[in-house]
């Protein structure tokens, strides 16, 4: 018999050779129908893999990330079979699952694959799927594996196998198809009910541009047709909301090849929006006891060697800047933390001074390969809403709660109401991996978990996910399209205080190490604004949006009155503009709609007589004629409903 530990901690005994699927059936037949993959101890296995020893077992369904991975990877085998049948002589290379779907890199014997070929590939793949063929893993010797692909003339698989050790090589069979694979499949092809080929791109073998160029086919699959339909609708919506497209249309930011890739240029409207976001956070931070500091964009190389950032960002990032005469080396700052440690060090501290909370909108620079750059979400220079809290071990609890309060305030004011928290703690089986005393780790982990509980967060604890230098809490925010973004990390750090020899004098008159907490509710201003653009589709909360209202005179005759309305709004700090071009009101409204201006204030004959404005809401709602004062009240009320004071 073998002892199997299940995720709820229960231990059950089974005959040696029992499979995860049999165990699932033993738990419940209904549950077993949904099980598609499994993990035994640390290895992802098939639900049909016989178990021969004691261990812990997790069973996955489509709802789990691991289940999706198995599902999509298995579909890549099905698509590969379809490609072999449709394009005889095609050479297969690798076909992994990715975040949303899978790809397969292939070497086509001739010609290309383009969008018009997708339906025939989908059709063939679905035909194969419907055959309900089992995925069956088998071990092969290195010699047999090599012979199999030599016969096929597939130099790519041969290269892969040559790098594997004999005794570890496995093939996966289904239907008439065989592929070199280390495993992790769903039980059979029949579970795949909908397949969509999404795009095709060029990719170099092993990502090396000196190696042959292959054709990469991206796809996705689902257990229900309905889920594919929903996914495609979401993709359509995401295209419309793409922050690169909206940023251009709304004139928020741009990029210039002359300035350089990955270096955003903020246009006046975007810069003003950023300033409003910064002002909003600065105000709340001030109330929360933060002090602003300003530090330079570069620092001596030694600074980052001390902090350990050189080891992480040195070789693979921007190279040091050298001074012309003296042999000095500076680095573009990849992180603000080392600078803030030196700010802390400017004078000795006593426990009575703590906590110290230093905040800075600090711009940092990190090299990203040009292929990795993406709008504002992957850039080479970005600004963090950074702050570092230096406190005693006993203060971590309260400081964590304060930072959570601030993060919740930020998320709430910007319309994010769907989020969870992820608490990353040590792997208790590997205590040597971490620096800092066990006592402080326990204190900090408990502080984080208590704070999450106290603040009523919906949280999960991830064992072993903590960085070696301290535990952390991340907010996982779901946007309007159901996508998850990691925002607002709060990280405890024992390393930097050590490396920078930070101290404070305790009540015992001895020197102690403070604990450092890194936190950034927005993360990076660039990435945050990108997320906000895609979440709101450009319809930012009224307090933040570049233009809150536009005055639209019906004809030239009413221009004067329109100007008067504009002045009055400006005097009340409502961001408004006027469209007095010689165009029809219909056209002016259409353009204002495109520019996502929340209020259109139409003024004509009757308005001028009655001293009113006819208000139209973005999206079509007519609010009728009201006085300017009534309109101002309306704006204030709406702003106050989202932007509470901290
Ligand atoms: Zn596979
Ligand atoms: Zn930091």
């Amino acid at each position: 018999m073998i002892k199997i530990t299940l995720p709820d901690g229960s231990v059950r005994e089974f005959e040696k050779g029992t499979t995860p699927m049999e165990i699932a059936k033993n738990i419940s037949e209904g549950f077993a129908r949904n099980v598609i993959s499994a993990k035994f101890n640390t290895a992802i296995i098939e639900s049909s893999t016989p178990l021969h020893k004691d261990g812990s077992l997790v069973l996955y369904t489509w709802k789990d990330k691991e289940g999706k991975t198995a599902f999509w990877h298995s579909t890549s085998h099905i698509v590969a079979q379809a490609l072999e049948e449709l394009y005889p002589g095609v050479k297969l290379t690798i076909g992994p699952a990715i975040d949303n779907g899978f790809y397969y890199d292939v070497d086509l014997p001739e010609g290309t694959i383009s969008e018009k070929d997708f339906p025939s590939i989908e059709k063939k793949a679905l035909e194969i799927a419907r055959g309900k063929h089992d995925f069956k893993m088998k071990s092969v010797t290195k010699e047999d594996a090599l012979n199999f692909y030599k016969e096929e003339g597939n130099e790519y698989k041969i290269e892969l196998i040559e790098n594997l050790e004999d005794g570890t090589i496995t093939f996966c069979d289904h239907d008439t198809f065989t592929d070199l694979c280390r495993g992790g499949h769903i039980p059979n092809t029949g579970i795949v009910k909908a397949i969509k080929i999404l795009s095709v791109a060029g990719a170099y073998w092993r990502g090396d541009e000196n190696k042959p160029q292959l054709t990469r086919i991206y796809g996705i699959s689902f257990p229900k047709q309905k889920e594919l339909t929903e996914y495609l609708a979401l993709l359509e919506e995401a295209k419309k909301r793409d922050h690169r497209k909206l940023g251009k249309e709304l004139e928020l930011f741009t990029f210039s090849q002359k300035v350089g890739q990955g270096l955003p240029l903020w246009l006046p409207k975007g810069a003003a929006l950023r300033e409003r976001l910064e002002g909003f956070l600065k105000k709340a931070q001030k109330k929360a006891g933060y002090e602003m500091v300003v530090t330079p964009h570069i620092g001596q190389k030694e600074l980052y060697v001390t902090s350990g950032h050189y080891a992480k960002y040195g070789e693979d990032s921007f190279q040091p800047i050298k001074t012309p005469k003296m042999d000095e080396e500076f680095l573009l700052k990849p992180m603000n933390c080392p600078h803030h440690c030196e700010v802390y060090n400017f004078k000795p501290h006593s426990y009575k001074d703590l906590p110290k909370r230093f905040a800075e909108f600090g711009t940092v620079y990190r090299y990203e390969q040009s292929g990795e750059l993406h709008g504002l979400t992957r850039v080479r220079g970005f600004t963090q809403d950074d702050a570092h809290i230096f406190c005693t071990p006993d203060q971590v609890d309260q400081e964590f709660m304060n930072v959570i309060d601030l993060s919740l305030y930020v998320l709430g004011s910007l319309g994010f109401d769907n989020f969870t928290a992820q608490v990353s703690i040590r792997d208790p089986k590997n205590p040597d991996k971490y620096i800092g005393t066990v006592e402080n780790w326990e204190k900090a982990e408990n502080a984080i978990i208590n704070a999450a509980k106290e603040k009523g967060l919906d949280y999960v604890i991830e064992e072993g996910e903590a960085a070696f230098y301290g535990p952390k809490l991340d907010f996982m925010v779901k946007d309007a399209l159901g996508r998850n973004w990691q925002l607002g990390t709060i990280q405890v750090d024992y390393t930097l205080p050590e490396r920078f020899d930070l101290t404070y004098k305790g009540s015992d008159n001895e020197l102690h190490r403070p604990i450092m907490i890194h936190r950034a509710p927005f993360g990076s201003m660039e990435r945050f604004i990108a997320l906000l653009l895609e979440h709101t589709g450009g319809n930012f909360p009224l307090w933040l949006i570049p233009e809150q209202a536009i005055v639209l005179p019906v004809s030239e005759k009413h221009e004067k009155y329109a100007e008067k309305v504009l002045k009055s709004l400006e005097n009340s700090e409502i961001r408004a503009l006027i469209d007095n071009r010689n165009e029809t009101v219909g056209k002016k409204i259409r353009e204002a709609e495109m520019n996502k201006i929340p209020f259109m204030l139409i003024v004509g004959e009757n308005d001028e007589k009655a001293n009113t404005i006819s208000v139209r809401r973005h999206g079509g709602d007519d609010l009728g004629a009201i006085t300017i004062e009534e309109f101002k009240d309306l704006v204030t009320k709406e702003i106050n409903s989202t932007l509470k004071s901290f």
Side-chain angles (χ1 to χ4, degrees):
M1 297 297 274
I2 49 170
K3 284 197 185 76
I4 300 296
T5 310
L6 295 167
D8 64 2
S10 65
V11 181
R12 299 193 191 191
E13 285 202 21
F14 296 95
E15 297 265 345
K16 218 179 232 182
T18 303
T19 67
M21 189 53 88
E22 285 159 355
I23 294 174
K25 283 182 180 154
N26 184 274
I27 295 169
S28 126
E29 285 281 345
F31 172 61
R33 270 194 289 280
N34 290 316
V35 166
I36 56 177
S37 151
K39 183 169 81 174
F40 188 61
N41 295 328
T42 53
I44 294 288
I45 54 168
E46 328 280 313
S47 58
S48 58
T49 308
L51 305 176
H52 294 291
K53 55 175 189 199
D54 297 352
S56 51
L57 178 74
V58 189
L59 298 158
Y60 297 118
T61 70
W62 166 252
K63 288 204 174 77
D64 301 300
K65 191 168 164 267
E66 292 84 350
K68 287 189 176 71
T69 299
F71 194 92
W72 287 330
H73 167 68
S74 304
T75 313
S76 87
H77 281 278
I78 302 172
V79 168
Q81 184 186 358
L83 292 171
E84 273 194 348
E85 291 180 20
L86 292 168
Y87 303 89
V90 66
K91 289 176 190 169
L92 304 174
T93 69
I94 54 162
I98 52 177
D99 278 354
N100 282 295
F102 60 87
Y103 67 76
Y104 215 114
D105 282 351
V106 300
D107 187 355
L108 289 169
E110 57 193 19
T112 55
I113 290 178
S114 70
E115 213 160 314
K116 66 173 181 4
D117 306 311
F118 294 176
S120 60
I121 301 172
E122 289 158 7
K123 193 171 157 238
K124 182 56 102 191
L126 269 178
E127 251 172 55
I128 298 166
R130 283 193 207 106
K132 291 190 183 155
H133 310 289
D134 287 342
F135 286 101
K136 283 179 280 202
M137 295 292 292
K138 64 175 184 210
S139 293
V140 280
T141 63
K142 192 162 181 170
E143 194 190 346
D144 286 349
L146 286 171
N147 284 338
F148 181 86
Y149 284 107
K150 273 179 191 154
E151 215 161 288
E152 235 182 46
N154 185 328
E155 63 271 28
Y156 306 102
K157 295 282 189 190
I158 291 172
E159 190 182 322
L160 292 174
I161 295 164
E162 270 163 358
N163 288 314
L164 295 173
E165 244 164 75
D166 206 356
T168 65
I169 301 168
T170 48
F171 278 0
C172 177
D173 291 340
H174 76 266
D175 193 16
T176 58
F177 180 81
T178 295
D179 204 346
L180 170 72
C181 187
R182 73 170 84 93
H185 305 96
I186 57 178
N188 69 73
T189 62
I191 302 165
V192 179
K193 294 283 198 291
I195 300 175
K196 182 82 188 164
I197 304 299
L198 294 168
S199 62
V200 60
Y204 292 106
W205 170 235
R206 306 217 139 177
D208 181 344
E209 55 187 273
N210 301 313
K211 299 209 159 137
Q213 189 166 33
L214 307 169
T215 302
R216 176 169 295 179
I217 294 151
Y218 286 99
I220 196 161
S221 58
F222 294 91
K224 281 183 188 141
Q225 179 62 38
K226 187 170 152 266
E227 288 178 70
L228 172 61
T229 311
E230 283 166 4
Y231 178 77
L232 293 178
L234 218 57
L235 266 192
E236 244 347 273
E237 186 56 34
K239 255 190 221 161
K240 278 191 223 150
R241 290 171 178 238
D242 189 320
H243 75 274
R244 294 167 300 175
K245 177 176 167 284
L246 285 175
K248 199 171 178 181
E249 287 168 5
L250 300 174
E251 295 187 2
L252 298 175
F253 59 87
T254 187
F255 289 90
S256 146
Q257 287 304 319
K258 279 212 179 87
V259 171
Q261 298 185 72
L263 300 169
L265 303 177
W266 289 88
L267 302 173
K269 283 185 200 177
L273 182 131
R274 250 180 87 136
E275 238 174 54
R276 272 191 290 283
L277 272 179
E278 290 188 9
F280 151 78
L281 187 58
K282 272 184 193 164
K283 206 168 144 189
Q285 278 181 175
K286 197 170 175 194
K287 283 194 182 157
Y290 289 79
E291 298 170 286
M292 295 298 294
V293 295
V294 177
T295 66
H297 287 236
I298 62 173
Q300 284 203 86
K301 183 178 154 187
E302 273 312 304
L303 175 71
Y304 307 106
V305 172
T306 304
S307 69
H309 291 115
Y310 185 75
K312 190 169 173 210
Y313 295 105
E315 299 284 318
D316 299 324
S317 193
F318 291 115
Q319 293 307 292
I321 306 162
K322 289 199 169 107
T323 53
K325 297 238 167 61
M326 293 198 294
D327 213 12
E328 293 173 303
E329 283 191 302
F330 291 88
L331 276 189
L332 286 170
K333 137 168 114 176
M335 297 281 259
N336 301 300
C337 342
H339 294 242
H340 290 189
C341 287
E342 285 304 290
V343 169
Y344 177 87
N345 257 346
F346 95 106
K347 70 171 186 190
H349 293 282
S350 127
Y351 69 99
K352 289 184 203 147
D353 305 336
L354 302 185
K356 290 303 268 178
R357 309 178 188 93
F358 298 129
E360 177 177 19
F361 286 87
T363 305
V364 295
Y365 302 90
R366 295 175 200 167
Y367 174 74
E368 299 273 359
Q369 287 183 21
S370 55
E372 304 282 315
L373 296 171
H374 181 86
L376 291 182
T377 54
R378 283 294 277 277
V379 286
R380 286 175 173 174
F382 57 94
T383 303
Q384 295 177 312
D385 58 324
D386 217 353
H388 296 97
I389 299 166
F390 300 89
C391 63
T392 70
D394 293 332
Q395 290 168 333
V396 173
D397 217 324
Q398 187 57 47
E399 286 310 305
F400 233 87
M401 283 203 259
N402 295 350
V403 179
I404 290 177
D405 277 339
L406 189 67
S407 304
L408 293 178
Y409 172 65
V410 167
L411 294 177
S413 305
L414 288 154
F416 292 105
D417 40 26
N418 195 346
F419 53 84
T420 55
Q422 187 179 309
V423 177
S424 302
I425 61 170
R426 279 166 308 172
D427 174 2
K429 288 181 210 107
N430 273 313
D432 300 340
K433 248 178 71 182
Y434 306 95
I435 89 143
T437 66
V438 170
E439 192 198 346
N440 275 348
W441 268 87
E442 263 169 21
K443 229 180 206 167
E445 286 175 352
N446 288 333
I448 298 175
I449 294 165
N450 282 341
K453 255 188 218 151
E454 185 95 352
K455 295 295 165 192
L457 294 181
D458 176 9
Y459 69 94
V460 287
I461 295 175
E462 296 285 352
E463 237 175 45
E465 286 297 306
F468 72 92
Y469 54 87
K472 64 170 181 168
L473 183 148
D474 290 299
F475 284 94
M476 308 300 287
V477 176
K478 209 172 225 136
D479 74 5
L481 299 181
R483 299 167 305 181
N484 284 313
W485 299 68
Q486 187 185 326
L487 269 185
T489 299
I490 317 171
Q491 168 93 52
V492 176
D493 187 349
Y494 301 110
T495 318
L496 287 184
E498 202 70 45
R499 285 174 174 259
F500 282 91
D501 195 22
L502 308 184
T503 56
Y504 67 91
K505 195 172 265 178
S507 53
D508 56 1
N509 247 338
E510 301 280 327
L511 286 181
H512 299 270
R513 288 253 180 266
I515 285 169
M516 189 170 174
I517 300 173
H518 310 251
R519 49 104 281 187
F522 293 139
S524 115
M525 298 305 285
E526 283 72 11
R527 184 169 168 272
F528 188 81
I529 291 172
L531 162 55
L532 201 55
L533 262 169
E534 300 196 357
H535 178 59
T536 62
N539 298 302
F540 293 109
L542 192 57
W543 67 268
L544 185 64
I545 202 157
E547 281 129 4
Q548 295 165 321
I550 184 165
V551 189
L552 308 177
V554 177
S555 76
E556 228 174 288
K557 269 198 331 208
H558 309 293
E559 224 169 81
K560 251 211 181 104
Y561 177 63
E563 295 280 358
K564 200 183 111 191
V565 172
L566 180 69
K567 260 266 123 45
S568 170
L569 296 176
E570 282 173 350
N571 286 341
S572 301
E573 286 182 12
I574 290 177
R575 295 184 294 278
L577 69 167
I578 193 164
D579 184 354
N580 50 18
R581 293 171 307 159
N582 194 10
E583 297 285 358
T584 63
V585 171
K587 186 165 181 194
K588 291 179 184 178
I589 290 177
R590 273 196 303 280
E591 280 184 25
E593 283 283 343
M594 286 231 318
N595 290 327
K596 312 205 183 255
I597 300 172
F599 293 105
M600 286 150 263
L601 314 178
I602 301 146
V603 295
E605 192 71 39
N606 293 340
D607 296 301
E608 189 160 355
K609 267 189 200 147
N611 227 353
T612 57
I613 46 183
S614 294
V615 182
R616 184 190 153 96
R617 186 89 224 214
H618 170 74
D621 266 353
D622 245 321
L623 307 183
I626 56 175
T627 66
I628 302 177
E629 291 312 311
E630 282 170 330
F631 176 67
K632 287 178 188 170
D633 284 347
L634 185 83
V635 169
T636 312
K637 223 179 251 163
E638 180 164 335
I639 288 177
N640 290 344
S641 74
T642 41
L643 187 62
K644 309 252 189 305
S645 61
F646 181 63

